[in-house]
Amino acid sequence: MKSTLGALLLLVPALSAGAQEPTLVDPPPQVAPPPPAAPRRADPTEEEAPRGYSVDIRRLSASPRIDGKLDDVVWQEGNLLTDFTQIEPQNGQPATQRTEVRMGYDSRTLYFGIRCHDTEPSRMVGSTMRPDANLAADDTVTIVLDTFHDRRNGFLFTVNPVGAKTDALVRNEGEEINVDWDGLWHAVTSRDSQGWTAEIAIPLKTLRFSSGKDLQSWGFNVRRYVSRTQESS
C-alpha cells in the first residue's frame, strides 16, 4: 500500500447494521480537531443501503501510543464517529450508552481509539483476559473490515474491557466464521469512572485488499455490545 492513500468505505449491510464508513486521505498540513459532526450521507440513488455513510479517514501526523488511554494529542487529528444506533433490542433507536470512535491511519497501520461511556461502570462485564476466548457474554467492541467491498467477506476484530482479543475471517455474508484465523494486531484497554476505552492498531500487512490502487473502497462497521442490557449498537 502506498503511503499516500485514499479510500471510500461504504456500508456493509450483510455484516451488520447502522455502521458509518471511512475514506483514507491525507489531511492538510495543519489539522484542526474535527468537530463531532455526523458523516455525510451517501447518495441514496447509489446501490448502497439508504442508511449508508461515508467518511474521509485522515492520515495521522504521528503514530498514537497504544496504551488504552486515548490521551495522545494525535487522536484529535482523526475522525470522530458518534451517534450509534441500536441493532438490538430496539432496532433503529439511539444507543442508550454513548460510544465515540476516533480513527486514522499512517503508511503501515489503521488505528481506532474507542471510548465506551457507561453510566454504571461497576456493572461492565469482562470475564476473561485469555486470547481467543469466547466473549459472547462480555461487553465488547467489534470492528469489521470488508477490504474488497464485496459485502460478503471481511476481517473481524473484537476486544473486551479487560483486554481480551479475538479475531476471525467472515465469509459468505457471515455464514462462515473462521475463528482459527489469527491476525497480527494490537489492542490495549483501560477502565475508569466513565466506562472503558480501547486503542486498536491493525497493520495493513495483516489485511488483504486490492493492490495497485491509490484509492481503496472498503466496507466498515464498528459494533458495541453492552452485556447487562444485551444491547448491540
Side-chain angles (χ1 to χ4, degrees), residues 178-200:
N178 180 7
V179 296
D180 292 328
W181 178 76
D182 286 314
L184 175 64
W185 60 294
H186 188 40
V188 181
T189 62
S190 179
R191 291 167 290 171
D192 56 31
S193 61
Q194 299 180 57
W196 64 287
T197 57
E199 289 185 312
I200 298 172

Side-chain angles (χ1 to χ4, degrees), residues 125 127-128 133-140 158 160 166 223 225-227 230:
V125 179
S127 62
T128 182
N134 185 343
L135 303 181
D138 287 9
D139 284 53
T140 54
T158 299
N160 74 357
T166 65
R223 171 185 176 269
Y225 181 70
V226 180
S227 178
Q230 298 182 24

Side-chain angles (χ1 to χ4, degrees), residues 28-228:
Q30 294 183 345
V31 180
R40 67 179 183 273
R41 187 172 295 278
D43 183 347
T45 64
E46 296 177 354
E47 191 179 350
E48 306 306 326
R51 295 175 62 195
Y53 289 86
S54 62
V55 177
D56 294 335
I57 303 181
R58 296 187 177 96
R59 184 183 177 109
L60 304 179
S61 63
S63 302
R65 182 174 59 256
I66 306 300
D67 58 5
K69 300 296 185 181
L70 289 177
D71 54 0
D72 283 3
V73 175
V74 72
W75 280 120
Q76 299 303 313
E77 298 177 6
N79 305 82
L80 174 60
L81 309 183
T82 59
D83 301 329
F84 275 48
T85 301
Q86 288 187 51
I87 303 169
E88 294 178 346
Q90 300 184 55
N91 187 24
Q93 295 300 308
T96 62
Q97 303 292 337
R98 181 174 173 82
T99 305
E100 300 171 355
V101 179
R102 295 275 184 184
M103 57 194 311
Y105 81 106
D106 60 24
S107 62
R108 296 183 177 182
T109 307
L110 185 62
Y111 299 101
F112 293 86
I114 304 169
R115 158 61 71 177
C116 296
H117 292 273
D118 198 310
T119 54
E120 299 180 88
S122 63
R123 299 184 64 192
M124 295 185 303
V125 179
S127 62
T128 182
M129 298 179 67
R130 183 167 55 87
D132 293 324
N134 185 343
L135 303 181
D138 287 9
D139 284 53
T140 54
V141 166
T142 298
I143 296 167
V144 177
L145 299 173
D146 175 9
T147 56
F148 287 96
H149 198 212
D150 58 15
R151 304 176 182 87
R152 296 179 56 85
N153 307 288
F155 297 86
L156 183 149
F157 306 89
T158 299
V159 64
N160 74 357
V162 295
K165 303 190 309 177
T166 65
D167 50 25
L169 295 179
V170 180
R171 294 178 177 143
N172 296 328
E173 300 184 7
E175 293 183 4
E176 300 177 36
I177 308 293
N178 180 7
V179 296
D180 292 328
W181 178 76
D182 286 314
L184 175 64
W185 60 294
H186 188 40
V188 181
T189 62
S190 179
R191 291 167 290 171
D192 56 31
S193 61
Q194 299 180 57
W196 64 287
T197 57
E199 289 185 312
I200 298 172
I202 304 173
L204 297 176
K205 66 181 181 181
T206 296
L207 308 171
R208 293 179 60 248
F209 47 86
S210 299
S211 61
K213 293 183 178 180
D214 290 332
L215 183 65
Q216 294 274 332
S217 296
W218 294 3
F220 154 77
N221 268 310
V222 174
R223 171 185 176 269
R224 179 182 176 186
Y225 181 70
V226 180
S227 178
R228 68 178 180 277

Side-chain angles (χ1 to χ4, degrees), residues 22-38:
T23 296
L24 304 177
V25 295
D26 286 331
Q30 294 183 345
V31 180

